[in-house]
Amino acid sequence: MVPHVVLTWATTARGGAENSVIELAGNLARLVPSVDVVWWRQGGPSARTCAPARVYEVTSWREYMATLSSVCAPTDGRPVVVISNHRTAAADVVIAPDARVIPVVRHVVNADQALRVIDPYDGVMVEHTVGDLWWELLGPLPVWVGISDASSASLRVHAPQARFVTTIHNGVSIPATVPPHNRPVTGRLLVATVARTVPWKRVDQLVRAVADPRLSTSVRLDVFGEPGSHQGELAHLVQELAAPVRFMGYTDQLPQRLAEYDLLATASTQEGFGRAVIDAAGAAVPSLVPAAGASPELVIDGLTGIVYNPDDPGDLVEALTEALLDRPMLAAMGKAARALAEGWYTPGRCAAQYLSLVIGQRPLARPLVAAQ
């Protein structure tokens, strides 16, 4: 019997992970008879619809427990698989002990990184390193998912208690046709970045690069994303360096907005996936990414974008200069980036891989009998 699938998520801000969870639910619901989403809103956005999947939005621990318990007890007797995440996994094991829980790790984790997770016993959001999670609950889980090879590799190193780790790259919906390139008429290289202004996104590295005297009059950087804890410091840095930078805020129309730019640039060395790279590819815009985290998995250096050394600020400036001087190269890279996204980073492929994993988690129809 095909299992009933439940996805859980606790959101604190708008971002790529939120979009990925909803897209996965909607595409899985096209493959299996029933899919539910339990969306715990803790300051982040309301869940979008993803029919035919059903979405239950809750705002408290009590609601989360009651809703998850309810959807994990289907009336048709189907087995239940919960596609969880590092925030809710331990809580999901406690609340739904008869379900098969599959945690999805959406970060590149390290030993000292503080992860925000739900305490499975009182529902409070607390900070723990990956090694200090509730492994008495999580250790027996048969499989974990990383959303990139980098994410999976970091989990194997820093959470050896995870029994088996597999990689399923996110799928990203891109426009059926390339959005019009309504680029302003200017000789400048127009660069976009998509990131909440928090320290680990390292937007300051991009600000310093475009403020370099060799680039400052020929490049403009626009920052898309919700303001974060680093916003004030970044604004001060922009003013101090007289950097050609604008803060554009959050947008739900990324491919359409990114079509106004020549290049997407990122700086984070801990990116678990880097959804904006695929959003840019949907607009036939190439990406400039660091050789760290999951970014090199999404960009083929010299074909769909440019990969630079994040430990060498001069390499970032050099890469931006190369892009500035060779616009035909960028156009060709953008076309190749879109072709790669259409071929691999599709929501359908992502959902099919999760379906294979879900089917593999079905309880046995009858107990195994030892060979005589």
Side-chain angles (χ1 to χ4, degrees), residues 1-359:
M1 184 181 293
V2 177
H4 172 61
V5 179
V6 179
L7 289 85
T8 62
W9 183 249
T11 180
T12 58
R14 290 183 293 186
E18 281 70 21
N19 293 330
S20 294
V21 170
I22 290 298
E23 286 179 348
L24 174 59
N27 281 276
L28 267 175
R30 298 168 57 197
L31 299 172
V32 300
S34 57
V35 175
D36 289 326
V37 180
V38 183
W39 184 274
W40 187 355
R41 185 182 181 192
Q42 299 192 28
S46 292
R48 304 197 320 267
T49 59
C50 52
R54 298 173 295 268
V55 179
Y56 301 88
E57 184 172 308
V58 302
T59 57
S60 71
W61 173 235
R62 184 181 297 275
E63 284 184 295
Y64 185 80
M65 288 192 295
T67 304
L68 184 58
S69 294
S70 176
V71 300
C72 286
T75 57
D76 59 4
R78 290 181 180 277
V80 178
V81 174
V82 178
I83 299 176
S84 188
N85 58 89
H86 73 274
R87 287 183 177 174
T88 59
D92 294 347
V93 170
V94 171
I95 297 168
D98 296 326
R100 299 292 184 95
V101 176
I102 301 175
V104 179
V105 178
R106 299 184 176 275
H107 291 280
V108 173
V109 297
N110 58 55
D112 301 322
Q113 180 181 359
L115 300 173
R116 302 181 70 191
V117 293
I118 302 297
D119 188 303
Y121 302 111
D122 60 18
V124 175
M125 182 81 81
V126 294
E127 292 189 350
H128 281 286
T129 63
V130 67
D132 290 332
L133 297 179
W134 296 271
W135 287 105
E136 71 278 7
L137 300 172
L138 300 174
L141 300 181
V143 63
W144 291 65
V145 175
I147 60 171
S148 63
D149 290 336
S151 176
S152 296
S154 70
L155 190 62
R156 294 186 188 103
V157 170
H158 300 295
Q161 305 95 322
R163 295 166 63 185
F164 178 74
V165 183
T166 190
T167 298
I168 301 179
H169 288 100
N170 283 340
V172 179
S173 296
I174 65 175
T177 59
V178 178
H181 280 213
N182 298 319
R183 187 187 179 284
V185 179
T186 173
R188 289 192 173 202
L189 179 74
L190 301 183
V191 181
T193 191
V194 181
R196 287 187 67 218
T197 48
V198 292
W200 72 272
K201 290 289 188 177
R202 301 176 81 235
V203 177
D204 60 304
Q205 300 298 311
L206 299 176
V207 171
R208 294 181 189 280
V210 300
D212 187 285
R214 292 165 289 181
L215 294 173
S216 60
T217 60
S218 304
V219 175
R220 191 184 78 210
L221 173 68
D222 287 353
V223 182
F224 289 91
E226 282 197 334
S229 60
H230 206 40
Q231 178 80 17
E233 293 178 44
L234 282 173
H236 178 74
L237 182 65
V238 167
Q239 185 176 21
E240 178 186 0
L241 300 179
V245 176
R246 303 188 305 179
F247 295 98
M248 309 300 288
Y250 182 85
T251 177
D252 282 320
Q253 304 295 323
L254 262 182
Q256 291 77 14
R257 294 302 303 274
L258 292 176
E260 303 169 9
Y261 295 85
D262 300 303
L263 183 68
L264 176 83
T266 69
S268 172
T269 56
Q270 293 181 265
E271 203 66 68
F273 180 72
R275 180 187 175 94
V277 171
I278 310 304
D279 282 318
V285 172
S287 293
L288 172 63
V289 301
S295 297
E297 297 174 45
L298 308 187
V299 173
I300 302 174
D301 189 26
L303 180 64
T304 66
I306 303 170
V307 179
Y308 67 92
N309 179 359
D311 297 322
D312 180 2
D315 199 41
L316 175 54
V317 171
E318 183 177 335
L320 285 167
T321 302
E322 179 185 3
L324 172 65
L325 297 177
D326 197 342
R327 308 298 177 85
M329 174 192 70
L330 294 184
M333 286 179 172
K335 291 179 181 178
R338 181 173 169 95
L340 179 61
E342 289 177 318
W344 179 249
Y345 296 104
T346 67
R349 183 274 311 157
C350 178
Q353 285 188 281
Y354 274 101
L355 174 62
S356 178
L357 198 61
V358 163
I359 295 297

